Amino acid sequence: MITDLTYTTAGRINKALIEGRANGTAAFGMVLTLVIVTDEENAHDAVKAATEASREHPSRILAVIKRPAHGFRHRSEPRVDAEVRIGADAGSGETVLLRLYDEAVDHADSVVLPLLLPDAPVVVWWPTDAPASPAKDPLGALAQRRITDMHAVEEPLRELAARAASYAPGDTDLAWTRLTPWRSMLAAALDQVRATVTSAVVESEPGNPSAELLARWLTDRLRVPVERLDTDGPVVTGVRLYTASGEIHIDRPVGAVATLSITGRPTRTLALRVRSTAELIAEELRRLDPDDAYAAALRTAVTPPRVPATRWKERHDRAVGR
């Protein structure tokens, strides 16, 4: 069931939600409120991912779609339009698309606050551009968990520096969530080797924030120098751990399959596919406590990326016009 409301209020939206429950089309047992802060361009994909994630975590999804006026002359009275989705149209919960116009954009927290599920955790997700300090943002201040995504901005490594400077308990980023399979496999590989790691290399496409976070995590956990090596990608393509007894190498140049090579042992094949946004959000909703490992990775410094000699020559030749 979908109900469209124009020039509406939080009271009318709540009434539509109550009527949906009374008609038996709404899901019960919702465990949290997921607030998505986005623009019109990215709203569809974000809501779709959240709806899929709600099948594991039944939620009330509030999509705050900001529609600011273009210039002072075009400003009018604050306005809120809503699309209320209940039942099959909302996954395993309820979904409300809130389109905020003009001055209502500056008071999104006042619109959202009356629509939060009572006595339930709140998670805020910025699929693209996030505020400089999510915890100090009016919407972020309502949440126990705040999710950003460095991959979605033009300069991910600059965004990484901003996340490190403004970190507060409850902050996380999907660039970190994408690393869960890598971290699990590296930990499992180290359990098989009775030797101390002396150094490591993380290989990825240039400017990949997940690779930077992985290098920082390894530096923090192993207390060894970790180098970043630029490759043709895509995303993280490999990790090498060097020990006195040989090398541990996880290699995923392309596709969903990686290989694990340990000196003196047969090479093994591993499933290591790139996960969807819905899977990443579902993972983040499983835990709402502060992520200490992410916080430690943000605080850790690593060696700047190195370009292999062959790729440096290619770049040099292009630069001089050869």
Side-chain angles (χ1 to χ4, degrees):
M1 184 177 78
I2 299 178
T3 304
D4 289 318
L5 303 171
T6 57
Y7 288 92
T8 191
T9 63
R12 290 178 61 195
I13 296 169
N14 265 320
K15 182 179 178 181
L17 291 169
I18 293 170
E19 289 175 351
R21 295 194 203 100
N23 292 332
T25 55
F28 292 91
M30 291 175 288
V31 297
L32 58 87
T33 303
L34 174 60
V35 181
I36 306 171
V37 188
T38 185
D39 54 21
E40 197 70 61
E41 179 181 359
N42 296 285
H44 174 78
D45 290 342
V47 172
K48 180 180 178 182
T51 300
E52 292 177 15
S54 76
R55 302 189 188 283
E56 180 179 339
H57 309 277
S59 313
R60 174 175 289 180
I61 300 169
L62 304 177
V64 179
I65 304 170
K66 298 186 177 183
R67 303 287 296 271
H70 299 288
F72 179 80
R73 293 183 179 180
H74 297 279
R75 294 184 73 88
S76 58
E77 291 296 321
R79 170 184 166 189
V80 177
D81 292 346
E83 180 182 314
V84 181
R85 302 177 181 177
I86 299 175
D89 298 299
S92 297
E94 304 166 338
T95 299
V96 181
L97 274 59
L98 298 164
R99 289 182 169 84
L100 277 54
Y101 297 82
D102 303 313
E103 292 184 2
V105 170
D106 300 326
H107 303 282
D109 55 317
S110 299
V111 178
V112 167
L113 186 59
L115 301 175
L116 302 178
L117 287 172
D119 303 321
V122 178
V123 178
V124 177
W125 171 33
W126 291 269
T128 51
D129 296 325
S133 180
K136 295 181 180 178
D137 179 81
L139 284 171
L142 301 174
Q144 287 76 40
R145 194 78 162 170
R146 295 167 293 274
I147 305 172
T148 54
D149 191 356
M150 301 175 207
H151 278 278
V153 301
E154 291 185 3
E155 298 185 58
L157 297 187
R158 178 177 293 183
E159 188 78 0
L160 175 58
R163 294 287 150 255
S166 66
Y167 175 80
D171 290 356
T172 191
D173 195 280
L174 295 186
W176 173 253
T177 318
R178 292 180 178 94
L179 293 175
T180 301
W182 280 96
R183 294 190 294 128
S184 298
M185 289 183 181
L186 287 167
L190 285 172
D191 286 340
Q192 303 176 43
V193 179
R194 296 184 178 275
T196 301
V197 177
T198 56
S199 63
V201 175
V202 175
E203 304 169 350
S204 78
E205 62 186 358
N208 185 281
S210 292
E212 183 72 14
L213 284 169
L214 183 56
R216 294 184 182 204
W217 176 72
L218 288 170
T219 300
D220 175 68
R221 302 300 294 177
L222 300 176
R223 303 297 179 184
V224 298
V226 179
E227 189 176 13
R228 282 269 291 101
L229 181 65
D230 284 350
T231 66
D232 292 327
V235 296
V236 179
T237 57
V239 177
R240 298 176 184 270
L241 304 178
Y242 298 101
T243 73
S245 59
E247 178 184 325
I248 302 170
H249 182 201
I250 297 180
D251 183 42
R252 184 189 65 182
V254 67
V257 177
T259 57
L260 170 63
S261 304
I262 301 177
T263 299
R265 301 190 184 190
T267 299
R268 295 172 51 194
T269 301
L270 308 172
L272 195 57
R273 65 184 178 85
V274 177
R275 296 181 294 165
S276 69
T277 303
E279 292 173 296
L280 300 176
I281 292 297
E283 178 184 327
E284 283 299 334
L285 297 182
R286 290 181 200 132
R287 55 173 298 176
L288 301 179
D289 55 315
D291 191 335
D292 294 333
Y294 172 62
L298 284 177
R299 292 192 298 264
T300 305
V302 295
T303 305
R306 174 172 62 89
V307 180
T310 54
R311 293 193 62 210
W312 181 90
K313 185 177 185 303
E314 292 173 2
R315 290 186 181 182
H316 177 265
D317 290 346
R318 286 197 299 268
V320 298
R322 292 180 184 174

